[in-house]
Amino acid sequence: MIKRKIDRGEIVKILKQRKEISGEEIAQLLGISRTAVWKHIKTLIKKGYPIRVSKKGYGLLEKANYLFEEEFTEFPLKVYYFKEITSTMDVARKIAEKGEEALVLAEIQTSGRGRLNRSWISPSGGIWMSLILKPHLDLTSSSILTYVAGLATALSIEENTGIKVNLKWPNDVLFEEKKLAGLLLEVQGEPDKVKYVIIGIGINVNNLISHIEKGAISIREILNQEVDRKKIVITLVQHLKNLLSLNREKILSMWKEKSSTLNREVRVITFDREIIGRALDIAEDGALILKTEEGIQKVYSGDCIHLRASV
């Protein structure tokens, strides 16, 4: 038999298609030895796949809801999975410097963080990911990426769960004013272009969070059931890439349609001041336009607090 290097994802795919299958059948389907099949099975079990081993063969004990690399056999980017790490952003930065476009996923983050280095609680069951891309953008245009990432996250959640969500400026996805997901963007640039961008996304999916953080909620807590995290990740990346093909005006228009910030009173806290006003619009350069007692002001970053509902 000619030796063939296979992706363990091929074995996982076969196990999902059959209730039970022998090692000999898997070997024939993949063109490898039964010994090679067993070695791959042992590796998958060690990784955490609930595989039943019997005299008749192998089978999955339960419906898998994992984010292992083997779950992404047809994914367009290389996937790095970690059972537990400090932060996907930390790992993604090292990978990005090697010139790769990739997706970094973790089951648990011990030092997950959001904007301004705030702690992000990242237990098992959520989606904790960092996407490394090399978009064809100049530095002045990179501000659109926050809006693209927020939109892609919202669209993926809605598509896979039926939940209707809103976008809070600058980087939160909300369900009825509770945080469902958050974004973190890091851009590395050269004088005339973006070298790479790392888009960090945290989504409360099957984890329980509302008892820990009053202002947060998870998809499981909304629907009272678990959902397929892999589908959310895959469609999120698809939406993100599709959105990057649109012009800036269209992206901002779509973001505004889902915004819960516009047309309401807000307080924006920046590094050196606090601004209270009515959020009117998003400028072409990505700034939030506020109507304040001092007149119209543009804010490019800061913490936004919603003061009362839109009218």
Side-chain angles (χ1 to χ4, degrees):
M1 181 180 291
I2 298 173
K3 287 187 176 181
R4 183 172 84 87
K5 185 177 180 180
I6 70 160
D7 186 325
R8 281 190 294 273
E10 296 177 69
I11 292 178
V12 173
K13 191 174 182 180
I14 291 171
L15 291 175
K16 288 182 177 181
Q17 293 169 347
R18 298 276 292 272
K19 187 174 181 180
E20 191 168 57
I21 185 169
S22 69
E24 184 176 353
E25 286 182 88
I26 296 175
Q28 290 174 352
L29 287 169
L30 297 179
I32 60 176
S33 69
R34 289 180 63 183
T35 301
V37 171
W38 172 234
K39 286 181 179 178
H40 287 305
I41 291 290
K42 284 197 296 183
T43 300
L44 290 169
I45 292 172
K46 185 177 180 181
K47 179 168 279 191
Y49 275 98
I51 298 173
R52 177 183 64 254
V53 181
S54 69
K55 292 181 179 179
K56 293 182 179 180
Y58 311 109
L60 286 174
L61 288 169
E62 59 188 57
K63 184 179 179 182
N65 196 349
Y66 304 112
L67 297 178
F68 301 134
E69 298 98 323
E70 291 83 2
E71 293 289 317
F72 297 86
T73 52
E74 299 173 6
F75 198 68
L77 298 173
K78 185 170 182 179
V79 176
Y80 293 86
Y81 169 85
F82 299 88
K83 187 174 182 180
E84 183 175 311
I85 56 172
T86 55
S87 165
T88 59
M89 295 296 280
D90 295 338
V91 175
R93 204 173 297 111
K94 295 176 182 177
I95 295 170
E97 286 297 334
K98 296 177 182 178
E100 282 189 55
E101 286 192 308
L103 174 64
V104 180
L105 293 161
E107 187 64 40
I108 297 171
Q109 291 185 125
T110 57
S111 300
R113 64 184 187 277
R115 289 182 66 253
L116 304 176
N117 260 341
R118 290 196 181 96
S119 174
W120 182 281
I121 299 172
S122 315
S124 179
I127 293 174
W128 323 122
M129 60 180 274
S130 290
L131 183 65
I132 308 161
L133 296 175
K134 296 190 285 186
H136 299 291
L137 292 172
D138 57 53
L139 284 176
T140 57
S141 302
S142 63
S143 62
I144 197 65
L145 293 169
T146 297
Y147 296 97
V148 167
L151 261 175
T153 303
L155 291 171
S156 180
I157 290 171
E158 292 184 340
E159 181 178 328
N160 287 284
T161 69
I163 295 169
K164 292 300 179 184
V165 299
N166 296 111
L167 294 165
K168 178 186 176 185
W169 188 88
N171 59 353
D172 289 338
V173 179
L174 305 181
F175 172 78
E176 296 181 353
E177 291 297 305
K178 291 189 175 183
K179 184 182 286 192
L180 190 59
L183 316 168
L184 183 64
L185 192 73
E186 290 187 12
V187 178
Q188 183 68 31
E190 297 176 348
D192 59 342
K193 65 177 181 179
V194 170
K195 182 180 178 183
Y196 63 77
V197 59
I198 304 175
I199 303 172
I201 300 174
I203 308 174
N204 294 316
V205 185
N206 295 326
N207 55 309
L208 301 177
I209 190 67
S210 59
H211 68 291
I212 301 172
E213 290 194 12
K214 188 178 179 180
I217 198 167
S218 71
I219 293 171
R220 178 181 173 184
E221 290 170 324
I222 297 167
L223 298 179
N224 199 30
Q225 66 182 39
E226 290 197 357
V227 297
D228 190 330
R229 294 182 296 165
K230 182 183 70 175
K231 287 182 179 179
I232 294 175
V233 171
I234 290 173
T235 52
L236 192 161
V237 175
Q238 289 172 342
H239 279 301
L240 197 148
K241 290 202 164 191
N242 291 338
L243 288 165
L244 283 172
S245 68
L246 303 178
N247 62 44
R248 193 179 190 87
E249 183 181 3
K250 178 62 176 177
I251 292 167
L252 290 178
S253 174
M254 292 174 68
W255 191 94
K256 291 174 192 178
E257 287 179 7
K258 288 192 168 297
S259 172
S260 63
T261 298
L262 298 181
N263 300 313
R264 70 189 300 164
E265 299 296 317
V266 300
R267 181 166 73 248
V268 180
I269 303 170
T270 70
F271 73 97
D272 64 348
R273 58 179 176 152
E274 182 176 297
I275 309 166
I276 295 177
R278 189 172 186 81
L280 298 180
D281 201 357
I282 302 296
E284 188 177 344
D285 61 2
L288 178 66
I289 301 175
L290 296 175
K291 182 180 180 181
T292 72
E293 292 182 355
E294 293 76 32
I296 301 297
Q297 297 190 44
K298 293 172 73 174
V299 185
Y300 291 90
S301 63
D303 285 340
C304 181
I305 301 168
H306 292 168
L307 299 181
R308 61 175 181 262
S310 57
V311 292

